Amino acid sequence: MGTTSADAPTGSGGSAEPHDRQQRLVESLGLAESGEDSRQARLDRITRLARTTLGVAASNITVLDGDRAWFPSAQGLPAAPIPRSETFCDTTVRLGEALQVRDAAADPRFSALRAVTDHGVRFAASEPLRDSLGNIVATLCVFDTEPRELTDGELLTLQDLASWAEQELVASTEMRLAGEAQASMLPEEAFRGTDWEIEGTCVPALAVGGDFFDYGVSHGVAHLRVGDVMGKGAAAALVGAGVRSALRGTREAVTAGVDLGITVTQTARSLLEDLERTSSFVTLFEAAIDLEDGHVRYVDGGCGLALHLHPDGSFEHLRSDDRPLGVLPDDHWTEHTFEMAPGDSLLVFSDGILDVVGDHAGWQERVAKLAHAATDLPSLLGQISQLARRRTVLDDVTVLGVKRRGTGQEVSA
């Protein structure tokens, strides 16, 4: 990050940023001007540290939004929005580089700013904060009431703090977009049929992961899946979207009776290049259920976290030796079957459930007891979600449940 001194001529080294484009860049951050954004506390740490470490009277992070400037974090100066033209940061954005102003009162570009006339600001330094494409989306500024210059060490400290603030803005934005991508892969509502219900939930962890679940009904066959892409963030969410889309494309063949092992194998091989390029693999539970007779066909690709539960509290742990998708190029997957009688349930989890129950060896019994005690499928999913939110889980917790109602059972609301 270079620094342009206000005592030197600025020339034409920077190009003006149209206000409407700047506004679109700010909108892409998804920052909440109300201060309710969870990033505000993290940004406050940076501005506080800038103020104390550099020994200045004030510091802030400034967002230029159209003709306005507002401050997601401010220390020592008012935080109310002001006109863009009243900021030092407007010059920083127009120059496209860092700015130092030794004595703003003696500089005709800044001497009439209210920060100078009303709040006594003399010294200002501003570092641009850029998005992943290099666009300036905000600035980190420090101010003092006496003329001064930053030493080389102080300038390096300001640059380091700006890099930290930049990372908070951009990384948080990428995680927000990844979260939106992940959420877009989830069904909008539960399936409630005459004799069947299907519902799922996904509780994100500290970082967005590659979990997804999906279901749909076609010609009397319910198609459902739970997947978990290795990794976090936008890349994992995008890989998950591709896997889900590819598997959805096999629905007609599966409904027609094609072996599920064949369709999963074909899908895995079609995705192999993408998985290798992103160094990813995907654990997967894929199933097709005949809603007339309860016949279930499934493939387990490295998941190992599915339970077939009965009304008396007993259960079978569905197992397979098949590997996740993307591990070896010549892998193939095998179809397995079982029957769901009235009153039976099927629960499929991502590995975040192991953090929830806190017992990797006996998780099946813990979950089976929860399921047996729950009044219905929505209440069970709600209990698991509450447990996940009360604990600091390191991975997303995804649960997909299928219930075949017994005689006389009502459809849950």
Side-chain angles (χ1 to χ4, degrees), residues 11 25 38 57 59 142 188 195 209 214 270 349 373:
L25 292 173
S38 62
S59 61
V142 293
E188 293 183 357
D195 300 314
D214 190 29
S270 72
F349 306 89

Side-chain angles (χ1 to χ4, degrees), residues 64-409:
L64 298 180
D65 191 354
D67 292 325
R68 303 165 61 252
W70 54 275
F71 310 97
S73 178
Q75 313 288 333
L77 280 173
I82 61 175
R84 175 192 183 116
S85 59
E86 284 289 334
T87 66
F88 291 90
C89 302
D90 185 36
T91 301
T92 303
V93 173
R94 286 189 288 105
L95 291 173
E97 59 186 5
L99 172 73
Q100 272 202 73
V101 183
R102 183 181 183 278
D103 186 356
D107 191 316
R109 295 175 301 169
F110 307 111
S111 58
L113 296 184
R114 278 180 283 180
V116 179
T117 60
D118 297 353
H119 301 291
V121 168
R122 293 295 179 267
F123 166 78
S126 175
E127 288 283 338
L129 308 180
R130 302 177 185 272
D131 65 15
S132 56
L133 299 178
N135 302 302
I136 299 175
V137 292
T139 59
L140 173 63
C141 307
V142 293
F143 310 95
D144 214 343
T145 54
E146 298 291 337
R148 62 176 287 186
E149 292 181 358
L150 294 179
T151 66
D152 290 344
E154 290 172 332
L155 180 59
L156 183 59
T157 297
L158 180 60
Q159 291 170 350
D160 288 343
L161 291 170
S163 295
W164 181 12
E166 192 173 82
Q167 186 177 29
E168 289 290 353
L169 289 173
V170 175
S172 295
T173 299
E174 290 179 349
M175 293 307 294
R176 176 180 61 83
L177 295 174
E180 292 174 358
Q182 184 182 34
S184 71
M185 292 189 292
L186 307 180
E188 293 183 357
E189 57 185 17
F191 170 77
R192 306 277 192 239
T194 304
D195 300 314
W196 296 85
E197 56 183 320
I198 307 173
E199 187 172 356
T201 188
C202 180
V203 181
L206 299 175
V208 176
D211 278 20
F212 66 92
F213 69 86
D214 190 29
Y215 52 78
V217 176
S218 175
H219 302 291
V221 176
H223 304 263
L224 54 104
R225 60 193 58 92
V226 171
D228 186 0
V229 181
M230 180 190 71
K232 304 289 184 185
L238 290 172
V239 170
V243 173
R244 185 193 72 155
S245 179
L247 290 168
R248 279 187 168 188
T250 67
R251 181 177 294 181
E252 289 188 8
V254 173
T255 300
V258 175
D259 186 283
L260 206 58
I262 292 175
T263 60
V264 170
T265 299
Q266 291 175 339
T267 299
R269 291 179 180 172
S270 72
L271 294 167
L272 186 60
E273 184 177 340
D274 291 339
L275 295 176
E276 288 180 339
R277 186 167 54 246
T278 56
S279 300
S280 297
F281 62 81
V282 184
T283 62
L284 175 72
F285 185 93
E286 176 84 4
I289 305 175
D290 189 318
L291 299 183
E292 182 176 351
D293 60 14
H295 181 67
V296 182
R297 299 182 286 147
Y298 74 92
V299 163
D300 186 309
C303 175
L305 296 169
L307 298 178
H308 174 205
L309 303 108
H310 307 289
D312 61 2
S314 62
F315 65 90
E316 288 86 44
H317 180 193
L318 305 180
R319 304 169 185 269
S320 171
D321 294 328
D322 293 343
R323 282 184 283 262
L325 282 62
V327 176
L328 295 176
D330 295 327
D331 271 343
H332 64 275
W333 286 264
T334 304
E335 178 182 276
H336 306 271
T337 64
F338 67 94
E339 308 297 324
M340 283 187 67
D344 283 1
S345 300
L346 169 65
L347 295 177
V348 187
F349 306 89
S350 67
D351 55 8
I353 191 65
L354 302 177
D355 292 332
V356 171
V357 300
D359 184 356
H360 289 210
W363 70 270
Q364 305 96 322
E365 289 77 12
R366 295 281 303 277
V367 170
K369 287 180 180 178
L370 281 175
H372 188 56
T375 56
D376 53 25
L377 185 56
S379 66
L380 172 62
L381 297 181
Q383 288 180 44
I384 293 174
S385 295
Q386 289 177 8
L387 286 172
R389 291 187 172 95
R390 285 203 296 263
R391 297 181 179 226
T392 305
V393 294
L394 301 179
D395 204 353
D396 295 350
V397 179
T398 298
V399 188
L400 178 59
V402 182
K403 174 74 173 181
R404 186 178 186 185
R405 282 185 289 271
T407 305
Q409 287 184 300

